[in-house]
Amino acid sequence: MEEEPVAPETVARRSKRPRAPVRSADFTRTDKVDVGLEEEKEESSDDSQEPRRKYKRNRATEDASTSTAAARKTDMSLIEVIKSDGKGIPDVVKRWVELYERNQKSATAELLTLLFEACGAKYHLHEEDLDETDVDDVVVALVNMARRVSSDFSFSKREFKNFKDNLVYFWDNVVSECQNGPLFDQSLFEKCLDYIIALSCTPPRVYRQIASLMGLQLVSSFINVAKMLGAQRETTQRQLNAEKKKKVEGPRVESLSIRLSTTHDKITIMEEMMRKIFTGLFVHRYRDIDPDIRMSCIESLGDLYLKYLGWTLNDKSAGVRKASVLALQNLYELDDNVPSLNLFTERFYKRMLELADDIDISVSVCAIGLVKQLLRHQLVPDEELGSLYDLLIDDPPEVRHAIGALVFDHLIAQKFNDSQPRSTGSDNETSEIHINRMLQILKEFSADPVLSSYVIDDVWGYMGAMKDWKCIIHMLLEDSPSAELDDADATNLIRLLFASIKKAVGERIVPATDNRNPHVTKAQKEMFENNKRDITVAMMKTYPQLLRKFLSDKDKVAPLVEIIVHMNLGLYSLKRQEQNFKVTLQLMRDAFFKHGDKDSLRSCVKAVKFCATESQGELQDFAQNQVKELEDEILVKLKSALKDVVNGGDEYSLLVNLKRLYEIQLSRRVPLESLYQDLLRILQSFRNIDEEVIAFLLLNMFLHVSWCLQSVASSETVSETFVSSLVWKRTALLEQLEYFLQTPIKINRDGGSGNQLAYRVCAIVADIWCLFKKTKFDLTKLDMLGYSPEECIIEKYWKMCEQLLNISDDAEDEHVNREYIEETNSDAVMFALAKLVATDSVPKEYLAPEIISHLEMYGSSVTEIVKHLLTALKKKGDISSLLLEALKKAYQRYLSVVSSGNDKSLGSKSFQECKDLASRLSGLYAGAARNKYKSEIMNIVKEGINYAFLHAPRHLSFLDGVMLQFISKLPAPDILDIMRGVERRTENVNTDEDPSGWRPYFTFLDNLREKYAKTEGVKDAKEGTSVRRRGRPRKNQNLPGKRLFDEQSSSGEEDSISGSDRDAGVQDKQDEDEEAPLIHSLRASSKLRSLRLSKQDKGDQTKTVDSGQATEDMATPKTSGTYTRTLLSKYHNISIYRLI
């Protein structure tokens, strides 16, 4: 047959690796520890690939192939079987047991050889010397081998995972096959356990990993056998008791007694072996340095020894803590275990509660599940749960939802309260009970709707009553005094209804942790549509009733009105509910004119617009007419309010109607041609009216101008009259804005509502400069629309922005009107400034340095905007001049503080801010960027040195405080050139006349020499190192405290390698110190000495190059490059660009 020659070939290949006999602890080994199993995998794969090439599809060939494969498996060693796919392990174990029954020593030697090879060492024991071999001698030899040749097994390696699984599977099969004989002969497994325990206490980590893995698996297998024997003993004892009751002695009683005694002896042997592994392996390895070993100990023996579980709840490794929590969950899952856990629970339940707020999210989620089990058994008092409820508004959604499940089970459904009677009523009654309990929780967060949304989002997935729309509507419309909700509960219930509807149709009610849109499957889309249909059917007839009842309450009307956005309006026609739709729309219009707050107005505009665009047929015509009538009515009311103000009336009506007009103009254009001049006249004639009124006058004028510009941009033909009218409106608006820039607005440094006008002016000015940017309209027929502000106006604009940025954020939080807080804060100001610079709407030479010089001075959110601006500017080209100007401005602020002579601490603080700014800006050229943008760095350094010496010695501190940060990014030759150029500048200068003034200069030179010596020293060290040994450095192999390795039999001691995690950290630190090359420090110090000597010798040399020429020599060829990052700055203010 064609495959017959394959078997001899395989045998011949394996014959190259003969097993050498071992005599009197004399072990043979290969030149390498078997660290990588890839060589044998390649050989085995070659064996399997050879017959595959000759494969023919006939029965004879298949039979031959099967017989060949069987022959190959028979010839494979145990380690080769484990390294393969593992399918042949049961058959191999059976054959090994048969070998053990024929020749115990040969089978035992083969199994122990597997144990050594599994650890990565090629050791082979000879069966003749098995009894004479000492365990400690073998372990010492194995450790010495590991010292000579490094071995690296890691549980995280992908190729090692199958090997580990197969090894565990092998030992489980061995125990299972030996349970009828070899398991209880007190020879085979006793010897295996001695080697496993000894190897688990050795310094090589791979030995401890593999030995711990095998030992812990043996315990698990022993437990399974012991459980089976325990069941047999109970059955036998029951049968024996039944026979004894018959009072008849006979062979049956004797047989049962012998069987009972034999089973009991076997259980005793199993318990002794498990106890041996526990005392010899677990008590040392559960505190091993390696977290994987600690975790495997907890997973395998977690249900036997409680105190170790309690201790490992404080382990520094998240995986170990999680394993402990999961082991405890398995214990508390069984009700029969709870009485025996009372003492343990009393001691450790507080730590279990603390783990619910663990730094690792997976540990927190598991710990919350454990707390649920404690509550189910009523082992935790309710007063201890306060800290857990705070996690309802925590950041990680996984933790929030886990707490939501606990809150629902414990407080809403009350599944853990045995004293609470179970609900036996209808589903509607159960829903009402759950909703009432939920309202009690929401009362704690009623002051903040955002926090209420978090709580609702946490519980929504577990509380079915939230989707019982009819029940919620019934509770809201209930009029009987006994069942009617109070005002707070009604507000919370409407918020719950609105949030639940948004969740049901797939919208978020809390901010997401990322900006990615969630992926929605086809099934989810169908579910959302079905939910939308159910919501519409439930709301159609009752919606007008809800609006009538709560129309006058501003806290309730906003979420109630916006519900219609999530309904299917087409069902109104299909269900013949047109009249209810019309009534609903009219009630929304009434709500719009009844309220003046932002939320109510914005919700009404959103709802009416949705009805006008999404409804169909006659209903759409009706909705569009309602929108037109609403616009006409607001214009009439606004004209009336303007007349009242002119006649000396109250300004409140004007303010409210301006807000209403503003909210409408945010979404659609309103014809204001006849009203624009009236708004302008009010601004010109009444300068003393309320600043909030002025702000909304400017906002409405700006939005009208923006809509007019959008009309010009979107139209193919535009009349000259319309363009001229737009230019006039824009000019009039700019005149008013420039008036407020030139006439300083009184800005309250402590915050307050008086600053709203200043915030609005800054935002509007930036938007209108961007919209009418001159370069946008140049060389077009609309060039008359282009506008470019004068430099003096830009300076005044920056002064106002700077004053607003200096306002304390804490003061803002306490005093400012929070209705439009997202549009009137420091973020909005910095966003407006960055927008002007990024879009080149104004010359960036002035604004950009001012903005950059204030980096990290106004809070984290403002700093992020400046960072994105820097990224955008860097992408456009060379920004070295802008960075240098920013550094100069920061340094000038420091000089002004010093010259004022007030507090020295203020000067130190200002100089530190200047240094921090230089450090942050120099970070733009870190890593590979220092070579790519070398020309920019050199430009900053050259011009910076010129600036420092321009007014020497007054500006010399600029060198050490600022320039040194950039010089450190340059290579050593450039640093040396810079140092020599700086020294030439003082050749003809007497620095002794002002020693204190020139001290920064000498400090700068000293630091420069150290930088050069360090850079050059590292370079020389790299050049002198041809080959570097990979991996960790070899450490001193003298391990005190290990008696086993002093050739004494004491495998149980493990102090030097288990210890605490703190000892491990100290050892790692020592490793790092040993790895640092001494040549670095020697060469650096020699370079520094040579530089100092050369400086002393320079006094005797003649200089022929002036200082100016020296700085010019520092120039290097330019390199081009751009950042790959783009401007990602986002701001939640209303962006006017969506209108254009």
Side-chain angles (χ1 to χ4, degrees):
M1 299 177 65
E2 293 180 0
E3 280 83 358
E4 288 181 358
V6 176
E9 185 182 9
T10 307
V11 174
R13 186 181 294 118
R14 288 205 179 88
S15 65
K16 296 178 182 178
R17 300 195 302 270
R19 298 182 182 179
V22 180
R23 299 182 181 278
S24 302
D26 181 19
F27 303 105
T28 63
R29 68 175 184 84
T30 61
D31 293 336
K32 296 182 179 180
V33 178
D34 188 13
V35 187
L37 307 177
E38 292 75 19
E39 295 180 0
E40 297 185 7
K41 285 185 177 180
E42 291 176 359
E43 294 176 3
S44 62
S45 65
D46 293 341
D47 298 341
S48 62
Q49 290 173 3
E50 184 66 24
R52 187 175 302 169
R53 291 194 296 268
K54 300 179 181 181
Y55 185 85
K56 292 185 178 180
R57 296 185 178 275
N58 56 62
R59 184 60 178 269
T61 304
E62 292 178 0
D63 294 340
S65 177
T66 304
S67 61
T68 304
R72 186 180 296 113
K73 288 184 178 180
T74 304
D75 189 63
M76 291 173 64
S77 65
L78 295 181
I79 190 65
E80 290 171 340
V81 173
I82 292 175
K83 285 190 257 184
S84 64
D85 55 7
K87 295 180 180 179
I89 287 178
D91 295 335
V92 171
V93 171
K94 289 179 181 179
R95 286 196 294 272
W96 178 85
V97 173
E98 294 173 357
L99 174 63
Y100 183 82
E101 293 173 351
R102 296 193 306 269
N103 188 342
Q104 292 188 2
K105 289 187 177 181
S106 176
T108 303
E110 186 177 3
L111 189 63
L112 292 177
T113 299
L114 163 70
L115 195 152
F116 304 145
E117 291 178 334
C119 293
K122 283 286 187 180
Y123 279 98
H124 304 282
L125 293 177
H126 197 276
E127 59 182 279
E128 297 176 359
D129 300 315
L130 188 62
D131 295 334
E132 301 176 5
T133 303
D134 185 70
V135 174
D136 293 343
D137 293 338
V138 175
V139 174
V140 169
L142 288 169
V143 171
N144 289 334
M145 176 180 289
R147 288 171 178 172
R148 289 192 295 271
V149 182
S150 62
S151 178
D152 184 19
F153 270 128
S154 176
F155 285 169
S156 62
K157 287 186 177 180
R158 187 175 182 180
E159 64 274 9
F160 189 62
K161 183 179 184 300
N162 292 334
F163 174 77
K164 182 180 70 172
D165 295 339
N166 291 343
L167 184 63
V168 169
Y169 182 49
F170 173 84
W171 282 104
D172 187 56
N173 275 271
V174 169
V175 174
S176 179
E177 291 293 334
C178 293
Q179 60 182 325
N180 295 323
L183 182 60
F184 306 104
D185 63 3
Q186 296 185 346
S187 173
L188 172 65
F189 281 89
E190 288 293 332
K191 190 173 290 293
C192 290
L193 292 181
D194 288 340
Y195 280 103
I196 288 174
I197 292 173
L199 286 172
S200 71
C201 297
T202 55
R205 183 170 298 192
V206 60
Y207 291 178
R208 301 202 310 275
Q209 287 177 339
I210 301 300
S212 300
L213 179 68
M214 292 187 289
L216 295 172
Q217 176 56 40
L218 285 176
V219 172
S220 299
S221 302
F222 290 163
I223 291 174
N224 294 331
V225 175
K227 287 181 179 178
M228 183 184 65
L229 293 174
Q232 292 180 2
R233 182 172 61 179
E234 292 179 1
T235 302
T236 304
Q237 183 68 57
R238 189 166 55 253
Q239 293 174 349
L240 181 61
N241 293 338
E243 291 293 331
K244 287 182 177 180
K245 287 181 181 180
K246 299 178 182 180
K247 298 181 179 180
V248 177
E249 296 293 337
R252 174 69 172 166
V253 175
E254 183 179 357
S255 174
L256 290 173
S257 298
I258 295 174
R259 187 194 305 172
L260 180 64
S261 177
T262 302
T263 305
H264 181 74
D265 292 341
K266 289 182 178 180
I267 292 176
T268 302
I269 293 174
M270 300 297 298
E271 291 175 349
E272 288 297 329
M273 287 193 293
M274 286 189 288
R275 187 177 296 108
K276 183 175 182 179
I277 295 177
F278 174 76
T279 56
L281 190 150
F282 177 83
V283 296
H284 301 294
R285 299 283 65 76
Y286 92 94
R287 55 192 177 94
D288 194 279
I289 291 175
D290 192 329
D292 291 326
I293 297 178
R294 300 199 303 271
M295 188 164 54
S296 60
C297 289
I298 298 303
E299 291 173 347
S300 300
L301 297 179
D303 55 345
L304 295 180
Y305 304 94
L306 285 174
K307 63 179 181 180
Y308 298 102
L309 281 178
W311 294 341
T312 51
L313 290 174
N314 296 284
D315 195 277
K316 76 171 187 177
S317 172
V320 178
R321 296 196 301 273
K322 182 178 179 180
S324 303
V325 172
L326 292 176
L328 289 173
Q329 284 186 0
N330 295 331
L331 289 176
Y332 285 102
E333 188 70 28
L334 300 176
D335 296 341
D336 296 338
N337 294 338
V338 175
S340 61
L341 294 171
N342 285 333
L343 185 60
F344 174 83
T345 305
E346 291 178 2
R347 181 177 179 184
F348 290 104
Y349 82 90
K350 290 187 177 180
R351 176 55 186 161
M352 300 179 200
L353 295 177
E354 292 174 356
L355 285 176
D357 195 16
D358 192 85
I359 191 173
D360 186 85
I361 295 177
S362 62
V363 176
S364 296
V365 173
C366 293
I368 292 169
L370 177 60
V371 172
K372 286 177 62 177
Q373 291 183 334
L374 297 179
L375 292 174
R376 180 168 65 88
H377 298 298
Q378 300 182 1
L379 298 176
V380 178
D382 288 344
E383 55 269 17
E384 299 284 351
L385 301 177
S387 60
L388 264 68
Y389 298 146
D390 294 338
L391 299 178
L392 283 168
I393 54 177
D394 202 6
D395 284 335
E398 298 87 353
V399 176
R400 290 194 292 105
H401 293 155
I403 291 292
L406 184 146
V407 167
F408 174 74
D409 291 342
H410 183 55
L411 298 180
I412 298 176
Q414 298 188 0
K415 296 179 180 179
F416 309 144
N417 191 356
D418 294 336
S419 61
Q420 183 71 22
R422 302 296 180 186
S423 175
T424 58
S426 63
D427 293 341
N428 188 60
E429 292 177 354
T430 303
S431 296
E432 190 168 344
I433 292 172
H434 287 181
I435 290 172
N436 281 320
R437 290 171 181 168
M438 182 66 180
L439 291 178
Q440 295 300 316
I441 298 174
L442 292 177
K443 269 190 176 180
E444 302 295 328
F445 306 94
S446 57
D448 194 337
V450 176
L451 298 184
S452 299
S453 298
Y454 271 85
V455 177
I456 295 170
D457 181 71
D458 300 340
V459 184
W460 189 85
Y462 312 98
M463 185 174 168
M466 284 192 188
K467 295 178 277 292
D468 193 345
W469 323 115
K470 293 182 179 180
C471 178
I472 297 176
I473 294 171
H474 172 74
M475 293 177 66
L476 288 171
L477 294 176
E478 186 65 50
D479 291 330
S480 61
S482 59
E484 188 174 8
L485 301 171
D486 59 24
D487 185 69
D489 285 343
T491 302
N492 288 328
L493 187 54
I494 290 177
R495 290 174 182 171
L496 186 148
L497 174 63
F498 178 56
S500 181
I501 287 174
K502 291 182 68 175
K503 289 283 290 182
V505 298
E507 292 196 10
R508 291 171 173 159
I509 61 175
V510 298
T513 55
D514 53 26
N515 294 322
R516 294 179 298 177
N517 292 326
H519 175 69
V520 180
T521 63
K522 182 178 179 181
Q524 288 176 323
K525 291 180 180 179
E526 293 178 356
M527 180 185 68
F528 295 155
E529 289 299 324
N530 292 333
N531 289 339
K532 186 177 290 188
R533 181 184 179 88
D534 295 339
I535 294 167
T536 306
V537 172
M539 293 286 296
M540 249 189 289
K541 295 181 180 180
T542 55
Y543 205 174
Q545 302 176 37
L546 290 172
L547 288 174
R548 287 193 187 95
K549 183 173 182 178
F550 301 107
L551 188 65
S552 60
D553 195 328
K554 69 174 184 177
D555 292 331
K556 301 179 181 64
V557 73
L560 195 58
V561 165
E562 202 168 336
I563 287 176
I564 199 171
V565 176
H566 308 290
M567 293 169 58
N568 186 350
L569 300 185
L571 292 178
Y572 274 96
S573 299
L574 294 176
K575 300 290 185 180
R576 300 182 182 277
Q577 297 294 323
E578 293 87 349
Q579 187 59 35
N580 282 327
F581 176 81
K582 295 177 181 180
V583 173
T584 300
L585 204 56
Q586 290 173 349
L587 289 171
M588 290 178 181
R589 176 183 166 185
D590 295 341
F592 179 79
F593 288 106
K594 192 173 188 65
H595 299 283
D597 61 291
K598 185 192 74 172
D599 292 336
S600 299
L601 295 176
R602 196 158 290 182
S603 296
C604 290
V605 171
K606 185 177 180 180
V608 172
K609 181 183 177 182
F610 178 81
C611 293
T613 55
E614 298 298 326
S615 57
Q616 299 174 0
E618 181 185 350
L619 296 183
Q620 187 176 40
D621 295 338
F622 178 81
Q624 291 175 352
N625 290 332
Q626 287 293 313
V627 173
K628 184 64 173 61
E629 292 176 3
L630 185 144
E631 292 177 357
D632 295 340
E633 187 172 354
I634 189 63
L635 293 179
V636 171
K637 289 180 176 292
L638 189 56
K639 288 181 180 179
S640 176
L642 289 172
K643 289 181 180 179
D644 291 342
V645 172
V646 172
N647 297 329
D650 190 14
E651 301 170 3
Y652 177 76
S653 176
L654 177 60
L655 175 61
V656 172
N657 285 288
L658 285 172
K659 285 184 178 181
R660 291 169 182 162
L661 179 61
Y662 171 69
E663 294 297 335
I664 296 177
Q665 285 203 98
L666 285 176
S667 60
R668 59 184 290 117
R669 181 182 179 183
V670 180
L672 287 181
E673 282 73 11
S674 61
L675 202 62
Y676 192 86
Q677 291 187 359
D678 296 335
L679 300 177
L680 181 61
R681 191 177 299 112
I682 292 293
L683 283 175
Q684 294 173 340
S685 304
F686 298 89
R687 298 292 188 185
N688 296 325
I689 59 175
D690 187 76
E691 290 189 351
E692 190 175 7
V693 176
I694 298 175
F696 278 97
L697 283 168
L698 293 172
L699 282 172
N700 281 287
M701 293 173 65
F702 165 69
L703 288 176
H704 176 68
V705 170
S706 302
W707 281 113
C708 291
L709 181 61
Q710 190 269 346
S711 179
V712 171
S714 61
S715 301
E716 296 182 359
T717 58
V718 185
S719 64
E720 279 190 27
T721 305
F722 187 83
V723 174
S724 300
S725 175
L726 175 57
V727 171
W728 177 82
K729 293 175 182 178
R730 182 209 63 190
T731 304
L733 176 59
L734 284 172
E735 289 176 354
Q736 297 303 314
L737 292 171
E738 291 175 4
Y739 167 81
F740 292 109
L741 290 177
Q742 295 176 357
T743 305
I745 303 174
K746 184 179 180 182
I747 295 179
N748 186 2
R749 293 283 181 180
D750 298 327
S753 59
N755 298 330
Q756 287 194 33
L757 177 58
Y759 283 117
R760 294 294 191 182
V761 168
C762 288
I764 296 172
V765 167
D767 282 335
I768 201 135
W769 285 355
C770 289
L771 286 176
F772 293 92
K773 181 173 63 172
K774 187 174 182 58
T775 56
K776 185 191 302 183
F777 298 98
D778 285 345
L779 304 178
T780 67
K781 295 181 180 180
L782 300 175
D783 58 341
M784 60 187 305
L785 290 176
Y787 176 79
S788 179
E790 298 177 359
E791 186 176 349
C792 61
I793 298 296
I794 297 176
E795 293 177 359
K796 291 177 180 178
Y797 176 74
W798 163 250
K799 294 300 181 184
M800 177 180 287
C801 292
E802 188 178 21
Q803 293 180 48
L804 293 174
L805 290 171
N806 287 324
I807 295 177
S808 172
D809 291 337
D810 296 335
E812 288 280 357
D813 290 339
E814 294 176 2
H815 304 291
V816 77
N817 182 3
R818 300 188 63 86
E819 188 175 27
Y820 290 93
I821 186 63
E822 72 276 6
E823 302 173 22
T824 56
N825 55 22
S826 56
D827 290 358
V829 175
M830 184 55 73
F831 184 80
L833 288 166
K835 182 166 54 178
L836 289 173
V837 174
T839 59
D840 294 321
S841 299
V842 297
K844 59 186 176 184
E845 287 72 21
Y846 175 76
L847 269 188
E850 291 285 3
I851 296 172
I852 298 172
S853 68
H854 290 79
L855 182 67
E856 293 188 341
M857 290 182 61
Y858 303 123
S860 59
S861 59
V862 174
T863 301
E864 286 300 316
I865 297 175
V866 180
K867 288 180 183 178
H868 289 306
L869 174 63
L870 279 171
T871 303
L873 294 175
K874 188 103 177 113
K875 186 178 179 181
K876 291 183 177 182
D878 188 351
I879 60 170
S880 58
S881 60
L882 298 179
L883 298 184
L884 181 60
E885 287 300 318
L887 293 169
K888 290 179 182 179
K889 290 183 179 295
Y891 186 72
Q892 287 168 0
R893 288 198 297 269
Y894 156 71
L895 293 179
S896 63
V897 172
V898 173
S899 62
S900 63
N902 294 331
D903 191 354
K904 291 184 178 180
S905 62
L906 293 177
S908 301
K909 180 181 177 182
S910 180
F911 189 67
Q912 185 61 43
E913 290 176 353
C914 189
K915 293 176 67 175
D916 293 341
L917 177 63
S919 176
R920 175 56 67 96
L921 295 182
S922 65
L924 294 173
Y925 303 107
R930 66 176 63 191
N931 296 324
K932 187 176 182 180
Y933 301 104
K934 180 182 175 182
S935 60
E936 294 187 20
I937 303 175
M938 291 297 296
N939 183 49
I940 293 174
V941 172
K942 183 179 68 173
E943 296 300 330
I945 292 174
N946 290 337
Y947 171 77
F949 280 94
L950 186 62
H951 299 286
R954 187 168 180 264
H955 290 175
L956 289 178
S957 58
F958 187 77
L959 294 174
D960 189 57
V962 177
M963 286 297 99
L964 195 63
Q965 304 288 346
F966 291 88
I967 295 175
S968 62
K969 306 297 181 184
L970 294 172
D974 292 327
I975 295 178
L976 184 61
D977 290 341
I978 292 170
M979 182 169 54
R980 290 172 177 172
V982 171
E983 289 175 341
R984 292 191 190 102
R985 290 177 176 267
T986 58
E987 290 176 357
N988 300 322
V989 178
N990 184 7
T991 59
D992 296 332
E993 292 181 355
D994 187 3
S996 61
W998 285 92
R999 187 178 297 116
Y1001 164 77
F1002 293 107
T1003 303
F1004 173 69
L1005 283 180
D1006 291 339
N1007 290 331
L1008 213 56
R1009 293 188 187 97
E1010 292 180 4
K1011 292 282 185 184
Y1012 170 73
K1014 180 180 178 182
T1015 306
E1016 188 68 18
V1018 172
K1019 178 182 177 182
D1020 292 344
K1022 290 182 179 179
E1023 293 175 353
T1025 304
S1026 58
V1027 179
R1028 180 180 179 184
R1029 189 178 69 87
R1030 298 180 63 185
R1032 296 184 59 168
R1034 295 180 179 178
K1035 297 181 288 185
N1036 185 10
Q1037 301 300 325
N1038 296 327
L1039 298 175
K1042 292 294 298 178
R1043 298 180 183 176
L1044 172 64
F1045 308 114
D1046 294 334
E1047 297 184 353
Q1048 298 183 17
S1049 178
S1050 177
S1051 61
E1053 302 212 2
E1054 181 58 15
D1055 293 340
S1056 65
I1057 59 174
S1058 56
S1060 64
D1061 295 321
R1062 179 181 58 190
D1063 298 336
V1066 173
Q1067 185 64 49
D1068 292 339
K1069 180 63 177 176
Q1070 292 173 354
D1071 296 343
E1072 295 176 2
D1073 294 340
E1074 292 174 7
E1075 190 174 4
L1078 181 62
I1079 192 65
H1080 283 203
S1081 57
L1082 295 176
R1083 287 178 175 168
S1085 59
S1086 64
K1087 291 282 182 181
L1088 187 59
R1089 287 195 300 270
S1090 64
L1091 286 172
R1092 288 174 178 170
L1093 291 173
S1094 64
K1095 179 186 176 184
Q1096 296 174 2
D1097 296 338
K1098 284 180 182 178
D1100 301 331
Q1101 300 178 6
T1102 304
K1103 308 297 182 180
T1104 59
V1105 183
D1106 60 2
S1107 59
Q1109 182 65 32
T1111 57
E1112 291 295 327
D1113 292 339
M1114 294 188 298
T1116 58
K1118 292 187 178 180
T1119 59
S1120 62
T1122 58
Y1123 263 139
T1124 58
R1125 298 180 59 190
T1126 58
L1127 180 62
L1128 300 176
S1129 57
K1130 295 183 178 178
Y1131 185 62
H1132 44 267
N1133 192 6
I1134 302 299
S1135 177
I1136 194 60
Y1137 294 111
R1138 69 177 183 178
L1139 302 178
I1140 303 304

